[in-house]
Amino acid sequence: MNATWWRRNRFWLALLVPLLFLAVVASSFRLVNIYLPWDWTRPIVAHDTSGTLRQDFLGFDDVRREREVRVQVLSAVPQQVHGDAKAAAGAVLWRILLEFEAAPDQLLDSCTIELQDAEGTRYGHEGGMESVDGSGTPWEARLAQRCVPESAPGPTLEPFTGKLVPSPVERSRTWRLEYLIATPEAVEPTALRVGWHYPEYLVLEVP
């Protein structure tokens, strides 16, 4: 290739570098999404108000474990006020009662619970409610990240050290917990999503 060829093609050669960069970024994005899933991408749809989530996960201690937990939506009741929480303007609170069943040695301390409408819009514990006395975010708003009894949570892992901490009291095989999640007044939830570790999550019908 002589100097004339380089001059004639210098514009296309200049475009080649950013195009190669974009190709590398696109392939990296695909790698992250397919092989390193860091989002809820694998639904386990129960087609019922009750279902079982089974997954294998890597804990903070780099130990791979198996998880098996059954969850049932016992009720979901709309209301404007519950405890020290009230719905914000234009919103409604859904008081949800869940039943869990799992072996006492299962790691289940941190979870994500969301409501979902017919269009796939998700509603979590953030926003839509306020304290009755106006003092700020009510305690109930934070409970959608807790899936175990406070007094008997079962074993947990320290997030920074990976140390396995035994439960102060052995957790019962079945237990029930209540949650509050706010949605716009016009929304009718059709499903409840619950998950512990990406990417699997359980999808249950709302009765």
Side-chain angles (χ1 to χ4, degrees):
M1 288 180 282
N2 54 34
T4 303
W5 186 92
W6 286 102
R7 284 195 302 271
R8 188 167 61 247
N9 293 283
R10 64 181 180 273
F11 174 76
W12 303 109
L13 289 170
L15 286 178
L16 185 61
V17 173
L19 287 174
L20 287 173
F21 173 76
L22 289 174
V24 171
V25 169
S27 63
S28 298
F29 180 80
R30 180 176 173 81
L31 171 68
V32 167
N33 279 273
I34 293 178
Y35 299 105
L36 301 174
W38 294 326
D39 202 356
W40 305 113
T41 57
R42 297 180 189 167
I44 300 170
V45 183
H47 299 293
D48 199 352
T49 58
S50 175
T52 300
L53 181 144
R54 297 180 181 88
Q55 70 176 156
D56 113 330
F57 67 97
L58 192 66
F60 293 120
D61 55 356
D62 291 327
V63 175
R64 191 159 290 279
R65 294 178 173 86
E66 298 289 329
R67 169 178 289 127
E68 181 173 342
V69 53
R70 184 190 66 83
V71 186
Q72 181 175 3
V73 185
L74 297 177
S75 62
V77 181
Q79 51 193 88
Q80 288 298 313
V81 179
H82 180 68
D84 73 337
K86 68 176 182 178
V92 63
L93 300 179
W94 288 89
R95 183 180 175 187
I96 303 158
L97 180 62
L98 299 184
E99 181 175 86
F100 299 85
E101 181 179 351
D105 63 350
Q106 291 277 289
L107 295 171
L108 299 169
D109 57 310
S110 181
C111 66
T112 297
I113 293 177
E114 298 172 319
L115 288 176
Q116 181 175 297
D117 64 19
E119 297 179 352
T121 304
R122 294 151 52 185
Y123 304 91
H125 67 284
E126 307 93 347
M129 70 178 80
E130 53 194 37
S131 293
V132 172
D133 61 7
S135 61
T137 303
W139 171 249
E140 283 89 343
R142 293 182 276 273
L143 297 186
Q145 293 182 307
R146 177 179 61 86
C147 282
V148 290
E150 188 174 358
S151 60
T156 59
L157 288 174
E158 290 284 354
F160 298 107
T161 65
K163 180 184 177 182
L164 185 65
V165 180
S167 181
V169 178
E170 182 175 277
R171 188 180 62 221
S172 171
R173 189 170 184 84
T174 61
W175 65 96
R176 294 181 178 184
L177 292 174
E178 209 173 63
Y179 301 88
L180 282 185
I181 295 179
T183 70
E185 287 180 332
V187 167
E188 186 76 23
T190 58
L192 180 137
R193 298 161 50 121
V194 56
W196 279 265
H197 279 80
Y198 299 139
E200 294 89 1
Y201 63 97
L202 188 60
V203 182
L204 304 173
E205 293 180 355
V206 174

